């Protein structure tokens, strides 16, 4: 189901880009390479890609700006690469819309595993073909209508653009109104990986999701229970 997906690899270090390409092609993925931000956007505009691996430090347009532009109207999974390990760089990458982040040097096998995980989460809802009107596939909570079969969200009837990761977090919270999920709970449900206490990925994605929901609805739909986690009231 995941293989034969097309992945855009964007890195100005040619050896690294080609190494990633070899590992992904060995797993059955189709790949294209870009070596600067402008080239990446041109390739993306001309073709369909199911995931993007995006270096931060690049000439012409850096990875953060490329990520911002893609996120204006795209929900494609984005994994960012950086030679910097500081938390602030990771947070900046995630705040611009990236779904995951790896620091160079990295294990290519781990990168392939991360891409597989991103694609699995992105496409798990789109592979369902049950009718959208079936009650089991639509959650209604407050002003939200969340359609699992079409991977779409409406706020008071208006479409809300979310990344696949944001959608999965929202669907998890809305499926259990009133229940408090810790950051560890959310990470293990959505990322399906082991959680580490220093990991602030959930916090960053919750912040982006909350901002989008509040901007559209005017209400604080996701509530922080300090010291415990996050919830949506029924």
């Amino acid at each position: 189901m995941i293989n034969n997906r097309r992945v855009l690899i964007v890195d100005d270090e040619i050896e690294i880009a080609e190494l990633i390409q070899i590992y992904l092609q060995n797993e059955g993925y189709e790949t294209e390479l870009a070596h600067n931000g402008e080239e990446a956007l041109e390739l993306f505009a001309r073709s369909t890609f199911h995931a993007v691996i995006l270096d931060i430090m690049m000439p012409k347009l850096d990875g953060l700006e490329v990520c911002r532009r893609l996120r204006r109207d795209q929900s494609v999974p984005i994994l960012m690469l950086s030679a910097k390990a500081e938390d602030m760089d990771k947070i900046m990458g995630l705040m611009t819309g990236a779904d995951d982040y790896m620091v160079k040097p990295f294990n290519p096998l781990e990168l392939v595993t991360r891409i597989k995980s991103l694609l699995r989460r992105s496409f798990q809802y789109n592979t369902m073909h049950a009718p959208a009107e079936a009650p089991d596939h639509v959650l209604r909570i407050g002003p939200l209508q969340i359609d699992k079969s079409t991977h779409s969200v409406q706020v008071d009837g208006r479409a809300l653009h979310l990344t696949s990761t944001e959608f999965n977090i929202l669907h998890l919270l809305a499926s259990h109104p009133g229940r408090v999920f810790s950051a560890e709970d959310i990470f293990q449900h959505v990322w399906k990986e082991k959680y580490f206490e220093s990991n602030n990925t959930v916090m960053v994605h919750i912040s982006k999701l909350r901002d989008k929901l509040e901007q559209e609805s005017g209400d604080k739909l996701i509530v922080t229970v300090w010291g415990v986690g996050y919830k949506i009231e029924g």
Side-chain angles (χ1 to χ4, degrees):
M1 177 178 65
I2 298 286
N3 282 1
N4 301 319
R5 299 295 181 183
R6 303 190 72 239
V7 180
L8 177 61
I9 302 165
V10 190
D11 198 312
D12 63 324
E13 296 185 68
I14 296 174
E15 293 88 354
I16 291 178
E18 291 180 345
L19 177 66
I20 296 170
Q21 182 178 48
I22 289 169
Y23 273 84
L24 288 175
Q25 287 180 346
N26 285 343
E27 292 292 320
Y29 294 95
E30 297 179 15
T31 62
E32 289 227 27
L33 301 182
H35 299 302
N36 62 66
E38 290 182 356
E39 185 182 358
L41 292 175
E42 289 171 3
L43 279 171
F44 201 93
R46 294 201 307 263
S47 188
T48 297
F49 294 97
H50 304 100
V52 179
I53 298 171
L54 183 60
D55 186 38
I56 290 181
M57 301 299 294
M58 290 188 300
K60 298 188 177 180
L61 284 177
D62 66 22
L64 295 176
E65 180 59 27
V66 173
C67 187
R68 288 189 190 99
R69 296 191 187 188
L70 289 178
R71 279 290 173 255
R72 290 173 185 170
D73 57 3
Q74 298 288 340
S75 59
V76 60
I78 298 174
L79 186 153
M80 299 203 80
L81 300 176
S82 176
K84 300 179 180 180
E86 289 82 0
D87 280 349
M88 188 51 65
D89 294 291
K90 179 176 181 178
I91 290 171
M92 283 300 297
L94 295 172
M95 287 297 286
T96 56
D99 297 282
D100 204 352
Y101 185 103
M102 292 188 72
V103 176
K104 298 178 179 178
F106 54 84
N107 183 329
L109 293 175
E110 181 184 354
L111 183 144
V112 171
T113 300
R114 298 275 192 99
I115 286 295
K116 286 181 178 179
S117 178
L118 286 176
L119 286 168
R120 183 177 62 248
R121 297 201 306 268
S122 176
F123 288 98
Q124 63 182 329
Y125 295 108
N126 295 335
T127 56
M128 299 176 186
H129 302 290
E133 65 271 12
D136 289 345
H137 295 280
V138 178
L139 292 175
R140 292 182 176 86
I141 181 167
L144 298 177
Q145 178 173 300
I146 305 166
D147 191 331
K148 187 176 180 181
S149 68
T150 60
H151 210 197
S152 62
V153 178
Q154 292 186 358
V155 181
D156 288 327
R158 300 181 300 276
L160 179 67
H161 177 73
L162 300 179
T163 68
S164 60
T165 301
E166 291 165 351
F167 179 90
N168 291 339
I169 292 173
L170 179 62
H171 190 273
L172 174 66
L173 297 178
S175 297
H176 306 276
R179 174 178 167 181
V180 180
F181 286 85
S182 67
E184 181 177 359
D185 292 334
I186 294 171
F187 192 85
Q188 291 179 346
H189 274 88
V190 174
W191 278 263
K192 303 187 187 305
E193 298 174 9
K194 185 176 180 181
Y195 177 81
F196 298 95
E197 276 192 40
S198 60
N199 193 331
N200 51 28
T201 301
V202 171
M203 178 193 71
V204 174
H205 281 288
I206 287 282
S207 176
K208 289 283 289 183
L209 175 59
R210 177 184 280 145
D211 287 348
K212 289 182 180 181
L213 290 170
E214 290 185 18
Q215 185 175 1
E216 194 63 40
S217 71
D219 295 323
K220 196 167 187 174
L221 301 175
I222 297 179
V223 178
T224 300
V225 180
W226 294 107
V228 183
Y230 308 93
K231 67 176 180 178
I232 288 181
E233 293 289 0

